[in-house]
Structure formats: structure tokens, C-alpha cells
Amino acid sequence: MSPEIGHYALVLALALALIQSVVPIWGAKQADAVLMGTAGPVALGQFAFVALAFAVLTQAYLVSDFSVENVFLNSHSAKPLIYRISGVWGNHEGSMLLWVLILALFSALVAAFGRNLPLSLKANVLAVQSWITVAFLLFILKTSNPFTRLSPAPFEGRDLNPLLQDPGLAIHPPLLYVGYVGFSMSFAFAVAALIDGKIDAAWARWVRPWALTAWMFLTAGISMGSFWAYYELGWGGWWFWDPVENASLMPWLAGTALLHSAIVMEKREALKVWTVLLAILTFSLSLLGTFLVRSGVLTSVHAFAVDPERGVFILAILVVFIGGSLALYAWRAPMLKQGGIFAPVSREGALVLNNLFLTAACAAVFVGTLYPLALEALTGAKISVGPPFFNWTFGPLMVPLLVVMVFGPFLAWKRGDLYGVAQRLTWALGLGVAAMLAAYATTSGGPVLAPVVIGLACYIIAGSLIEVAERIQLFRAPAATVWSRAKGLPRSAWGTAFAHAGVGVMLIGIVGETAYRQELIVQVRPGQTVSIAGYDLTFEGLFPEEGPNYRDVVARLQVGEGGVPAGVLNPAKRVFTARNMPTTEAALKTRGVSQLYVSPGDPAEDGSIALRLFYKPMVLLIWIGTLFMVFGGMLSLSDRRLRVGAPKPAARRAVAIEAAE
């Protein structure tokens, strides 16, 4: 397919987006069902044209059409197939096209499956969503056209950034973008509701599936990015408080608060104003992340663009959407009726406290990330805010949040019994204390508070399990009754338990990796053996290897454990021939949930090489915990109660019988 087809498809998508952004909302204002009904078909057509443009760009990468500038700059004919595909979004222009594709996909999903939505709300939601699409389609067509031609066409491409030629980077950006863009639906629902002036429990239930979907994908995307940085960048860390890492963490924190706030609104019709504000702020933080990555204000391994024109354009988008939505909120929010009243000690109170800590933590990350940029813009002074700031501001806010997180599900709505909940959590507290004492007894070195945090993590996991055990009457009722209650327990309850337990599992991994890891930097010669954490590593020498588009110098290490051979590790220094850019390929050996990590330095002329060795106890629990969280989100999303207005099977049968008669 000709790249010009992709360009024209984007122009046609822009035309449909302009129609979708005006006609349905005018129809809602005039109560004209025909005009409101145009939103659905137009949204589907818009998605079809954007999908066509994305397919055209993908084909250009697959066939190595170097007459397309974007393909020339980011591909190579010798590149493996998976990286030709991932190269489509491994650059600024292609990633923005993926961004808009996901945006159009969410609109199409609302158009196709939003049959239970009131017609006016659906029309307004799709119109607001289309406003965002118009802005980003204009941005692509004006500053970031992925279909620009080169004449004459080069014979060969410059290849993709070597750091991005990794399976993790093939998966990480799409997951992250679905999370970022998914929160646009919450934003669209919030703005549409403010336009209508009507927000109730049904609105919260309509918002929750979209917010939960975005949260799940954002969680998975952040986790995948963390794991990629851990094994690919060669420095052995899983989080560095990089500004662009923080840009993904902020909407995740706000989105987590939004999910919990929506629960209160759905159950008790309380926190309406707060829930709407969180929906606006969460997507606003997603837009902020887009600005940080693409404006050139930051230098990062995550950054795509350094063109000031692009930065100004995205800044204008931020001002319009964030400023406009907050102005609408300031105008309409006072008119919204408040919901039910609740006591401070209640499930609502616990969720409010949860929200306060999450938003305070988000504010701390926001200040630490943007303060250096603001200071440089105002005074020209350059400062950096490093991990110590975030550790000492973010960490203390998380501890009380984690304690409250366990209590919340046990408290009753409207008014709870704090003493009764404490009694029910006695076993969880006891297990936490036992885990803390066991950690003190079995570990040496490390921060003195590390065993306390391990105890807290075990308390969280046990509390999550006890909450489910009590609801199904485990050990208190006959097995048949327990099984029946377990099957009848709402999936959202199972999802909450898995997600909360996942936080505890992740916390154990974080403590194990940061507090008890061992590190050794050595220069080794062939035949030399070094030891770390009970492992003996014998360096056999350096061996050159050839890849499809790179050359490796592999350091081969025989690994022994207790005098018994335990495998081979092959860390390497890799040079990609097209860009002549070196990368570090770390080697990992897994034992249970712990890992031996070897990162090589540059080889010396005498055949020796510098090695950085790590032993990372329980490190894999970090990402296993996030998988638990995502799985919990999937269980909650599958809960029938989130499908508003879906009739029960019995009701459907009754309707069918009546129609037949």
C-alpha cells in the first residue's frame, strides 16, 4: 500500500473527528436523537481510517520501504521481524499514530458496546473524546507526519535505537499507551457529565470499567518497562525515579485513587465532586507525561523528540484540555448534589483516607519531577532531584496507606467498628509480627527497618486472604457451604483480594532487592574464579558472535553452587553495525524468585574484562506482585455488576417466551 494512502486516511479521520466533535453534542443540546445517533457510526468510521493509516505504516516497515523517512530513520533490512513491527511505535511519529489509534479504538468500543448508556451521555462522551482525537490528529499532520517521503529513496535504513531492540520494548509501549489513553474515557465521561449537570451512582458504574481497564494496562506497562530497564540497561536497578518514569507513575497513583473513589460514589453516591476531579486530573497527568516525553524539556532514555515546535503544540493541547476542563469543573461542580453522609470510621472513610495518601504521594512525585524544570525556566538555575527526595517523601506516605488498605474491606459502609475489625485481623497482625521477627533472625546487614517492612507486607497478604476467608466462612461452615459461597462471591471481591495481596508480594520483592542485595565489581582474567552469595563464577574467556544486525563479544562464565556445576552465563557487549552503537547485555540466573545478575564492562586488550556482579534476593517478587495486581483487575472487570443494565439470563428467557407467545 502506498504511504500516501496512510496520509489521506489520517486526513479523512480528521474530517470525521471534526464531525463527531460537533454534531452529537449539538444534538444532545437540541434533544435531537438523529444528530446524537451520528456519534456511533462516525466513531467507527474514524477508527477504520486511523487503523488503515497504522496498517500502511506497518507494511512500510515490514517491506523496508526506505522511501518513507520514518522507516529510513528507524529500521534496517537486516533487523529481525519482531523489531520491524515494534519499530512502528519505537519512534516519535509512529508512537503518536499508535496513541491516536488507541484513542479512536476506545471511541469505537463505546460506540459499539455502549448500548446501555443514555443517548445524550453517549453523544457527549464521544464528542469530548473526539475533541482529543482532533487535537492529536492535527499534531500528527502538522508536526509529526509518519508518511513523509524521501527522494531519492536511500538503499538502506539507519536502524532502530539498539536499546529498543528488545522483546520488552516491543510490549511495553503499547501497554503503557492503552493505560495513558484509556484514562481519556474517564475524562470524557467526567466532562460529559459536567456538561449535562447530572452525576449519579449509575455514572460511577459506567466509568469504572474504563478506568479499571486503563489502570490494568498502565500497571502492566509500568511493570514491563521496569523489568526491561532492569535487565537491558545493565545497571541492575528496576526503578530510578527518572522524570519519565515518574510521568507514568503519577497517572497510576491518581487512577488508583479514582477507582476507589468511584466505588464510594457507586455504593453511597458520595464523593461526586472529588471523583469527577480525579477523572480530570488522571488524564491530565497522562497528557503531562506525553509532553515530558516529546517536548525536549527532558533528556532521558525514554524521550522521543527534541523539536521545540512539537513541544509548544503539545503544551497548547495541555492548556486547552486541562485548563478548559478545570474551568468547566469550577463552574459546574458547585451545582452537583452531595451524596450520603458517613462516619469517619467506615469503609467510605477508609477509602477517603486511601485517596488522601495516594494524591499526596502523587503531589510529592509531581513536585520532585517538575520543580527542577520550573526553576530552570524561571531562573536559569539547573538542579536535579534524585532518589533520596522521592524515597523520603513518597515512602512515608505509603506506609499508613498500606495499613489502611487492609482495614478498609473489613469496615462496614456508613459506620464501621474499628475495634471489631482489629480483632478480626489478629491473625494477620500476628503473622506480620512473626515474619518481622523471622527476618531479624535470619538476615544480617541491611537497613534496620527492612524486617519491619517485610512484616507489613506479610500482614497485607494475610489480611487480604482473611477477608475472603471470612466472607466464604472458611473453617466455620461445611465444605459444601464454603464452596457455594466461594462461587457466589462477587468477582470484584476476589479481584480486590488479589490486587491487595499483589501489593504485599511486590513490597517483599522491593525490600529483598534494595536491602539485602550483594554487589561486587571485579576485573577478571581467563581462568579466574570469583564468588558472590555462595556462587562461584569462573571466567573462561571472550568469544565473538554474530547476530542478524549486530556483533557480540561474549564473556563466558561457568557457574558453580556449593561445588556443583549450575550452568553457564553469557553476558555480552553488543555493537549494532548500522549505528555503531554499543549496548550491554546482562546475563541472569534465576533461583526461585532470586537472581544472580552479571553485567559486563568493556573488554581489555589482554583478554580480561570488568564484571559487575549482583545477587538479588526475592527480586522477581516485584513483577510477580504486579501480575497479581493486574489479574485482580481482570477479575474485577469480569464482574457482572460492572455491565450496567445487562439483564439476567432468566429475564432474557422470560422476554423471549413472551415474544414467542
Side-chain angles (χ1 to χ4, degrees):
M1 287 183 287
S2 169
E4 283 70 28
I5 294 176
H7 182 260
Y8 294 144
L10 288 181
V11 174
L12 291 173
L14 175 60
L16 289 179
L18 288 168
I19 294 171
Q20 183 183 329
S21 66
V22 175
V23 175
I25 203 167
W26 178 255
K29 182 177 177 59
Q30 299 298 318
D32 188 324
V34 174
L35 294 179
M36 287 189 285
T38 61
V42 172
L44 293 173
Q46 180 195 140
F47 169 69
F49 281 119
V50 177
L52 174 60
F54 190 82
V56 170
L57 184 61
T58 302
Q59 190 212 28
Y61 270 86
L62 291 176
V63 301
S64 296
D65 183 357
F66 298 123
S67 70
V68 179
E69 183 180 17
N70 185 264
V71 180
F72 164 69
L73 292 174
N74 299 284
S75 193
H76 191 277
S77 59
K79 190 167 62 171
L81 177 62
I82 183 175
Y83 302 131
R84 292 193 199 181
I85 297 172
S86 65
V88 176
W89 55 80
N91 59 87
H92 168 72
E93 292 82 3
S95 67
M96 285 311 306
L97 185 56
L98 177 63
W99 214 98
V100 173
L101 176 67
I102 297 169
L103 196 62
L105 173 62
F106 274 99
S107 292
L109 290 174
V110 172
F113 300 107
R115 301 184 187 92
N116 297 314
L117 294 173
L119 189 56
S120 62
L121 178 62
K122 182 178 178 180
N124 285 336
V125 166
L126 289 175
V128 173
Q129 187 79 350
S130 192
W131 296 347
I132 306 169
T133 308
V134 166
F136 281 96
L137 281 172
L138 286 172
F139 174 72
I140 290 175
L141 291 170
K142 186 176 187 302
T143 71
S144 309
N145 186 354
F147 300 107
T148 302
R149 287 278 203 174
L150 292 175
S151 182
F155 178 74
E156 189 55 87
R158 293 184 178 177
D159 206 359
L160 181 65
N161 184 338
L163 290 176
L164 305 182
Q165 295 191 41
D166 181 85
L169 258 291
I171 303 169
H172 162 62
L175 292 175
L176 202 65
Y177 291 170
V178 173
Y180 274 152
V181 179
F183 282 119
S184 68
M185 289 310 309
S186 305
F187 174 86
F189 269 96
V191 173
L194 288 172
I195 293 171
D196 278 345
K198 181 183 178 182
I199 302 178
D200 53 18
W203 178 89
R205 185 170 289 190
W206 287 320
V207 168
R208 276 184 65 198
W210 302 105
L212 185 55
T213 300
W215 179 88
M216 286 164 44
F217 277 95
L218 187 57
T219 303
I222 293 173
S223 176
M224 187 71 255
S226 167
F227 189 57
W228 165 79
Y230 166 73
Y231 71 77
E232 177 63 23
L233 298 185
W235 57 288
W238 55 274
W239 193 262
F240 193 63
W241 294 109
D242 179 279
V244 182
E245 289 177 337
N246 297 346
S248 65
L249 179 61
M250 289 187 285
W252 186 88
L253 292 168
T256 305
L258 170 62
L259 284 174
H260 291 85
S261 186
I263 293 172
V264 178
M265 185 173 167
E266 179 187 341
K267 299 291 185 182
R268 299 278 298 134
E269 288 209 42
L271 306 183
K272 292 182 180 180
V273 175
W274 178 239
T275 305
V276 171
L277 179 60
L278 281 174
I280 293 172
L281 291 180
T282 302
F283 182 61
S284 298
L285 291 169
S286 296
L287 289 177
L288 177 64
T290 303
F291 171 73
L292 291 176
V293 172
R294 302 170 195 282
S295 63
V297 299
L298 293 175
T299 300
S300 166
V301 68
H302 306 82
F304 276 121
V306 295
D307 185 350
E309 182 185 1
R310 292 171 176 173
V312 170
F313 202 116
I314 296 179
L315 186 61
I317 293 175
L318 260 69
V319 171
V320 170
F321 284 101
I322 299 176
S325 59
L326 291 177
L328 178 63
Y329 172 81
W331 174 46
R332 300 288 283 179
M335 304 176 190
L336 301 178
K337 295 181 180 178
Q338 294 299 320
I341 299 174
F342 53 87
V345 179
S346 62
R347 189 173 298 188
E348 297 97 321
L351 290 170
V352 168
L353 197 59
N354 164 86
N355 275 7
L356 289 175
F357 282 118
L358 282 170
T359 50
C362 183
V365 177
F366 181 88
V367 170
T369 303
L370 294 187
Y371 174 71
L373 301 179
L375 185 66
E376 182 178 356
L378 294 174
T379 67
K382 292 187 177 183
I383 66 167
S384 61
V385 175
F389 169 83
F390 294 104
N391 293 338
W392 284 104
T393 55
F394 184 84
L397 288 169
M398 288 294 102
V399 173
L401 170 65
L402 296 174
V403 174
V404 172
M405 184 177 74
V406 179
F407 272 79
F410 287 89
L411 291 168
W413 293 104
K414 196 172 181 180
R415 184 180 297 276
D417 179 6
L418 191 61
Y419 178 71
V421 171
Q423 286 183 314
R424 294 160 68 188
L425 285 172
T426 301
W427 283 103
L429 182 61
L431 181 62
V433 172
M436 179 186 69
L437 295 176
Y440 271 119
T442 57
T443 59
S444 59
V448 68
L449 292 179
V452 176
V453 181
I454 290 178
L456 175 61
C458 292
Y459 157 78
I460 293 168
I461 297 170
S464 302
L465 298 176
I466 289 172
E467 197 268 334
V468 171
E470 287 210 351
R471 295 187 67 170
I472 65 176
Q473 296 186 352
L474 186 66
F475 305 128
R476 291 189 295 152
T481 302
V482 171
W483 177 246
S484 177
R485 291 181 68 88
K487 289 193 297 182
L489 193 66
R491 291 178 189 173
S492 59
W494 288 105
T496 299
F498 269 98
H500 286 183
V503 174
V505 172
M506 181 178 67
L507 192 59
I508 293 174
I510 291 172
V511 175
E513 197 280 333
T514 56
Y516 300 118
R517 72 180 179 189
Q518 298 180 38
E519 181 178 355
L520 179 65
I521 300 176
V522 293
Q523 185 83 18
V524 293
R525 299 178 181 275
Q528 185 177 348
T529 299
V530 293
S531 300
I532 183 172
Y535 292 95
D536 299 315
L537 291 85
T538 302
F539 177 51
E540 294 188 340
L542 300 172
F543 302 88
E545 293 184 3
E546 291 285 336
N549 61 335
Y550 60 82
R551 298 187 305 271
D552 274 348
V553 176
V554 178
R556 187 170 299 164
L557 299 161
Q558 288 288 343
V559 183
E561 187 177 6
V564 178
V568 179
L569 288 177
N570 295 300
K573 295 298 288 188
R574 177 169 296 175
V575 177
F576 285 77
T577 53
R579 294 200 178 200
N580 197 31
M581 178 176 173
T583 63
T584 299
E585 303 299 316
L588 306 173
K589 185 167 189 60
T590 302
R591 280 288 187 267
V593 294
S594 302
Q595 284 192 322
L596 180 64
Y597 183 111
V598 182
S599 177
D602 292 323
E605 293 183 0
D606 62 357
S608 66
I609 190 171
L611 297 176
R612 191 173 186 179
L613 312 176
F614 295 95
Y615 177 67
K616 296 175 173 290
M618 301 182 287
V619 66
L620 292 181
L621 291 181
I622 296 173
W623 300 289
I624 292 173
T626 60
L627 290 177
F628 271 81
M629 294 161 67
V630 173
F631 181 67
M634 293 172 61
L635 285 177
S636 296
L637 191 62
S638 69
D639 195 320
R640 178 182 174 79
R641 295 181 303 171
L642 289 185
R643 299 196 292 274
V644 179
K648 296 181 180 179
R652 286 201 297 267
R653 286 196 298 271
V655 171
I657 292 170
E658 184 179 348
E661 292 175 349

